[in-house]
């Protein structure tokens, strides 16, 4: 379940594991860390480390979750840059508007999941710089994105939005948008821009 914060934490740690066995001095891979007090070092062989890195690549992203147990925002592989909630306010307070801005910190910055909206966003030809989320308002929820070109020579980016499907199976809704400059478009229909910064856009699914 997307509300199970314990599983979010467990999955985040598991997905980031392959990065901890890369040797800082050379960048060479190791199959794992020897926890034996007599060793406490990385193994000399890489073995099937490549499969682990593939798994990391498939799942790497920034994941924003409302931790209902403690009432605070949990940002996995990202930083909470700002929030509109006063000190002590819960992220799941009924009827209250909340705004939170995050900065992805994962290895690729190409995937962001917003648990309150049940929305997964991926980008090709760009990277997420900032994502702002507003929930609890009249519109129910809104996300504003700030993208940067990646590589720097990119002329446009492709943004894919995937909404969670129903519980128990079934695919979610998916749309793909082409982003150039300050706007993104979905076919012939505009995907309205938000704010004045280059590469910043928002819309609804």
């Amino acid at each position: 379940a997307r509300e199970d914060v314990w599983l979010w934490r467990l999955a985040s740690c598991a997905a980031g594991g392959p990065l901890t066995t890369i040797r800082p001095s050379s960048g060479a891979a190791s199959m794992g860390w020897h926890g034996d007090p007599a060793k406490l070092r990385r193994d000399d062989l890489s073995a099937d480390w490549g499969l682990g890195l593939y798994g990391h690549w498939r799942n790497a992203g920034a994941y924003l979750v409302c931790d209902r147990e403690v009432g605070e925002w949990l940002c996995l592989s990202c930083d909470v840059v700002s929030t509109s909630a006063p000190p002590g306010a819960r992220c799941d307070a009924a009827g209250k508007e909340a705004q939170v801005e995050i900065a992805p910190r994962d290895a690729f910055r190409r995937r962001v999941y917003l648990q309150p909206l049940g929305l997964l966003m991926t980008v090709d030809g760009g990277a997420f710089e900032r994502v702002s989320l507003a929930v609890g308002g009249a519109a129910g929820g809104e996300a504003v994105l700030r993208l940067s070109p990646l590589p720097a020579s990119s002329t446009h980016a492709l943004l894919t939005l995937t909404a969670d499907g129903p519980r128990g199976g079934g695919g979610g809704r998916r749309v793909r948008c082409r982003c150039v400059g300050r706007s993104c478009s979905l076919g012939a229909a505009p995907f309205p821009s938000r704010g004045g910064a280059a590469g910043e856009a928002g819309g609804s699914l």
Side-chain angles (χ1 to χ4, degrees):
R2 74 187 194 195
E3 293 85 4
D4 194 326
V5 175
W6 185 85
L7 289 180
W8 280 111
R9 293 178 183 272
L10 178 64
S12 178
C13 291
L19 300 184
T20 66
T21 55
I22 298 175
R23 292 179 174 83
S25 58
S26 63
S30 168
M31 64 181 290
W33 176 266
H34 288 288
D36 187 326
K39 294 184 177 180
L40 295 180
R41 61 175 177 81
R42 293 177 178 87
D43 194 273
D44 294 331
L45 303 177
S46 61
D48 60 353
W49 178 87
L51 291 175
L53 183 64
Y54 171 77
H56 173 78
W57 170 78
R58 288 284 295 175
N59 295 288
Y63 298 86
L64 179 66
V65 182
C66 175
D67 187 341
R68 300 180 186 278
E69 183 176 345
V70 297
E72 295 182 354
W73 292 107
L74 175 64
C75 207
L76 301 165
S77 299
C78 51
D79 295 334
V80 174
V81 178
S82 64
T83 177
S84 64
R90 295 182 60 88
C91 61
D92 59 348
K96 298 291 186 181
E97 292 190 26
Q99 295 183 349
V100 58
E101 182 179 18
I102 67 170
R105 290 287 182 261
D106 64 282
F108 306 106
R109 297 185 296 121
R110 292 181 53 199
R111 182 197 311 259
V112 173
Y113 180 76
L114 304 176
Q115 176 256 346
L117 301 183
L119 180 64
L120 173 67
M121 303 178 290
T122 59
V123 63
D124 296 295
F128 292 102
E129 291 289 339
R130 292 283 193 276
V131 176
S132 298
L133 171 68
V135 292
E142 181 181 64
V144 179
L145 322 176
R146 184 181 304 166
L147 306 175
S148 62
L150 189 69
S153 59
S154 292
T155 59
H156 64 278
L158 293 177
L159 177 67
T160 302
L161 308 175
T162 305
D164 284 350
R167 292 181 184 274
R173 292 168 294 165
R174 176 177 295 181
V175 296
R176 173 164 281 194
C177 314
R178 188 174 190 271
C179 304
V180 180
R182 299 181 182 178
S183 63
C184 298
S185 61
L186 174 61
F191 206 64
S193 175
R194 299 284 185 182
E200 186 169 307
S204 60
L205 179 62

